[in-house]
Amino acid sequence: MNESKITLRNVEMRFGDVVALDSTDLEVVEGQTTVLIGPSGCGKSTILRLIIGLLTPTSGVIEFEGKPVSQDNILALRRRMGYVIQDGGLFPHLTAAQNVTLMAKHLQTVQEEELQEKLDDLCELTRFPKDGLTRYAVELSGGQRQRVSLMRALTLDPDVLLLDEPLGALDPMVRASLQTELKEIFNRLGKTVILVTHDMAEAGYIGDSIVLMRAGRIAQQGTLDDLRERPADEFVSEFITAQRSLVQL
Amino acid sequence: MQKQQKVNGKQQNISRFTFDASRITFYTLFVLLFIYALPSADCQTISVGSKRFTESYVLGEIAKKLLEDAGYQVEFKQGMGGTIIVWEALQNGDIAMYPDYTGTIQETILKSVTPMTTEQMRAALAKHGIGITGELGFNNTYAFAMRRAHSESENIHKISDLRDHPNLNAGFTHEFLERNDGWAPLSRHYGLQIKPRGMEHALAYVALNEGEIDLMDAYSTDAKLVEYDLTVLEDNLDFFPKYNAVFLYRLDINPAAIDAIRTLEGAIDEGLMTRLNAEAERTKNFAAAVSLYFSEAESREVQVASESFLSKLVRWTGRHLMLVGVSMVIAIVVSIPLGIRASRPGILSQIIIGVPGVMQTVPSLALLAILVPVPTLGTSPATAIVALFLYSLLPIVRNTAAGLQNIPTPLRESAAALGLEPSAQLTKVYLPMASRTILAGVKTSAIINVGTATLAALIGAGGLGEPIISGLALNDAEVILQGAIPAALLAILVQVGFDALDRLIIPKGLRIEEVSQRAAAGE
């Protein structure tokens, strides 16, 4: 259980003069939920986009199960990772069901009946109403869109789930109930999960390991207790305090 | 009638259309060909051309009648846009003959600065494989025309009198302004200071009559000289060369056809030609002038059957649809891949969008003049299709590129992150999402194409432009509307058709999205 699924070694990402991610090392442990948190522009989404290959690092190496990620294997690796973004990223010209099954149908590896079963299972898992499968993205609520997006990410039964602020656009009530559901789903599936958020409570509730980032660097990595009791520097304690006082309001 | 007479010997099929450029659209073509029924399957078919003014139409119609009486099927490619286009058509075999004038042949075709005898012309033309008949009997030279009352009040009777009136408004045809024997040497010859402007010939008569211009170039057998009561100024310094009417023909056509045309030699004097022109313009019907010719020539009434309006309309519309359909199919097949490439950043994309943009600025007549000399194109419908194709590119290329560029980044990244290959990202996500914009480009292109396709008539390729151009030659609004109204209706039909196509092609999710966005915007 303690094997490293994804490893970043001296990974740096620059856009011209702007450093999005300074030379960074990170290990994502298999079967754990790792949460990336930090203020806007700290580089937490950049890490996800580097792992799924939407960005190519300026320098350094990203390893997946010990093998370097490259242009040659990224297509195969993407099919072993599910990616969920804020607002779902559902294709508007397809129904919910078509969004979910798009990739499986494209690969033609799954039989039609098997796919139907899979769809039923996923609806159950994500508590998405089956009669909503024929609807288009615009006809779904924000929470439903995220459920469909999660279903789409899970269709090929990936090893890794990458979620970029999946609950960021939802109102607080929906958000709270989805947090609970997400945690249950992660526990049940036992997949390696990397989740980006800016909400410390969410990070502490869902994450096995929390990576707090600031200005393209990792400020501290550990459990919520580690960060709270043994902050690495002033920024860490300030970040935790700010989030806590926000909750107390 | 001697319709059954068979003419033996080698007969070139000179009017077969060549569609080499459009082979990929074979099936579309195949279907469309049925609509307008290819008329040149018979090897006895002969093509007669004419230029874009009444006299040329009338002479062409007379030739058509003579050839039909000699047992030929005749295809009449009328109203072709200018000497260069007709001459090219004759040389490459799209037409077998057409009427022209010795002055034009010497100056514009043979480009000789010294006067030539008919025999010298015959020898020079033979090098191009072209023959020339004897003179038909009238001299249709250039002339300057003024309103009679105006010329008398200003006391202008000779071209040299114009020297004292440098401020007259002159409207000359573009051809006259550009010709080697046209305005520039004439103004030097007479020492004139007038600043003329270019004008369509038929419109110039109206402008002169209404006093918008005071002076125009005309032809000495123009029926309108009488109709509008105009004075012709005397060419007192002998500038204009002789413009004796002749027929030019290909030397490789059947001698019997040549013989039929040569019966016109010496048969038409200025008086008869002016009457024939006047008859055509009075009745708005070239066939009536032909009847008059044969009744005067043979002293008996000859009925020349004129095609019914409905059958002409079907022929024009069918050809128009074929031109639009074929050129649009090729344009779509070519433009969408170009648009896809142009959606990516870079200099190549700017070139891909820039070149069709420049195409739009080339006037249609200029584009045709460039295309007609191209081997295998000539004055066939293929030339019109190529021109229409070039004019149709921009809206489709541009909208395809814009539609793809407007896809939000998160959705692009979602498609990539799923693990779709770039080609599958394009076909399964990007193109369906851009379908509305792409279809809008195709729609714009098609509607413009329906209007532009009238240019085909300038090279004798038919379509609804045919009545528009002959209507301009006849100065007859009714004839112009016979082409303009169906063309406008066709454009509306295309619009409605594409609106219906929206439902078939644009995915339902996008249509729902638009409705919900409108609702959100409070519309």
Side-chain angles (χ1 to χ4, degrees), chain B residues 367-447:
Chain B
L367 183 61
L368 290 173
I370 294 167
L371 291 175
V372 163
V374 175
T376 77
L377 284 183
T379 54
S380 65
T383 306
I385 287 168
V386 170
L388 292 172
F389 158 75
L390 291 172
Y391 283 131
S392 300
L393 291 175
L394 184 67
I396 311 179
V397 171
R398 181 164 282 211
N399 275 37
T400 304
L404 292 173
Q405 283 161 353
N406 286 343
I407 295 172
T409 309
L411 293 182
R412 281 171 184 284
E413 294 191 343
S414 290
L418 273 179
L420 288 169
E421 307 87 347
S423 61
Q425 291 171 27
L426 189 67
T427 55
K428 307 232 160 171
V429 180
Y430 301 163
L431 286 178
M433 282 189 67
S435 57
R436 177 190 302 282
T437 317
I438 296 173
L439 202 64
V442 173
K443 193 194 294 183
T444 306
S445 223
I447 292 166

Side-chain angles (χ1 to χ4, degrees), chain B residues 235-296:
Chain B
D235 180 18
N236 56 320
L237 297 181
D238 289 326
F239 175 79
F240 290 118
K242 293 286 181 196
Y243 282 81
N244 291 312
V246 293
F247 263 87
L248 294 182
Y249 55 85
R250 292 178 61 83
L251 289 170
D252 57 9
I253 63 172
N254 195 296
I258 300 170
D259 288 343
I261 293 304
R262 292 192 61 185
T263 58
L264 287 173
E265 289 175 358
I268 308 175
D269 60 15
E270 271 105 2
L272 176 57
M273 193 66 237
T274 312
R275 281 200 303 285
L276 295 178
N277 289 339
E279 178 71 4
E281 304 207 355
R282 187 182 61 78
T283 60
K284 315 291 187 192
N285 184 356
F286 299 117
V290 178
S291 298
L292 179 67
Y293 169 77
F294 283 100
S295 64
E296 293 214 1

Side-chain angles (χ1 to χ4, degrees), chain B residues 108-356:
Chain B
T108 309
I109 294 177
L110 299 175
K111 305 200 191 311
S112 164
V113 285
T114 52
M116 297 171 90
T117 65
T118 309
E119 286 317 307
Q120 285 171 322
M121 283 187 204
R122 181 163 287 135
L125 288 166
K127 289 177 193 156
H128 297 274
I130 303 299
I132 177 170
T133 62
E135 290 161 6
L136 305 189
F138 65 90
N139 175 19
N140 181 0
T141 190
Y142 272 111
F144 277 168
M146 293 181 71
R147 288 181 303 279
R148 186 175 301 282
H150 188 225
S151 98
E152 275 163 14
S153 69
E154 298 288 335
N155 207 21
I156 304 172
H157 301 289
K158 307 188 288 289
I159 294 180
S160 56
D161 293 341
L162 293 171
R163 271 181 221 150
D164 304 328
H165 300 272
N167 294 325
L168 284 179
N169 287 320
F172 296 150
T173 58
H174 294 280
E175 185 168 1
F176 180 68
L177 285 173
E178 299 303 325
R179 287 172 73 111
N180 288 336
D181 60 347
W183 170 248
L186 179 136
S187 58
R188 280 196 300 276
H189 191 76
Y190 277 98
L192 303 182
Q193 303 292 321
I194 293 169
K195 299 268 177 287
R197 56 184 161 132
M199 207 175 241
E200 221 289 324
H201 192 59
L203 298 179
Y205 276 110
V206 180
L208 181 62
N209 194 41
E210 290 175 357
E212 284 170 36
I213 59 172
D214 305 313
L215 183 70
M216 66 180 285
D217 61 317
Y219 307 102
S220 53
T221 53
D222 263 1
K224 295 197 185 72
L225 295 174
V226 182
E227 186 184 331
Y228 289 118
D229 192 23
L230 303 177
T231 301
V232 173
L233 303 186
E234 187 192 337
D235 180 18
N236 56 320
L237 297 181
D238 289 326
F239 175 79
F240 290 118
K242 293 286 181 196
Y243 282 81
N244 291 312
V246 293
F247 263 87
L248 294 182
Y249 55 85
R250 292 178 61 83
L251 289 170
D252 57 9
I253 63 172
N254 195 296
I258 300 170
D259 288 343
I261 293 304
R262 292 192 61 185
T263 58
L264 287 173
E265 289 175 358
I268 308 175
D269 60 15
E270 271 105 2
L272 176 57
M273 193 66 237
T274 312
R275 281 200 303 285
L276 295 178
N277 289 339
E279 178 71 4
E281 304 207 355
R282 187 182 61 78
T283 60
K284 315 291 187 192
N285 184 356
F286 299 117
V290 178
S291 298
L292 179 67
Y293 169 77
F294 283 100
S295 64
E296 293 214 1
E298 297 166 21
S299 305
R300 63 187 170 88
E301 196 65 30
V302 177
Q303 276 301 318
V304 177
S306 62
E307 201 179 350
S308 77
F309 173 66
L310 192 66
S311 122
K312 282 192 287 190
L313 187 64
V314 168
R315 180 165 57 83
W316 293 330
T317 310
R319 172 57 70 89
H320 207 86
L321 284 172
M322 189 278 284
L323 295 170
V324 171
V326 174
S327 62
M328 277 308 292
V329 168
I330 308 173
I332 292 167
V333 168
V334 172
S335 303
I336 291 180
L338 283 177
I340 291 168
R341 178 60 191 80
S343 69
R344 313 216 301 252
I347 183 84
L348 184 61
S349 301
Q350 288 172 20
I351 294 171
I352 290 173
I353 293 189
V355 170

Side-chain angles (χ1 to χ4, degrees), chain A residues 49 78-79 93 103 106 136, chain B residues 411 413 416-417 419 421 428 509:
Chain A
R49 290 148 60 82
R78 278 173 181 167
R79 292 169 190 174
H93 62 292
M103 198 57 207
H106 174 62
Y136 293 93
Chain B
L411 293 182
E413 294 191 343
E421 307 87 347
K428 307 232 160 171

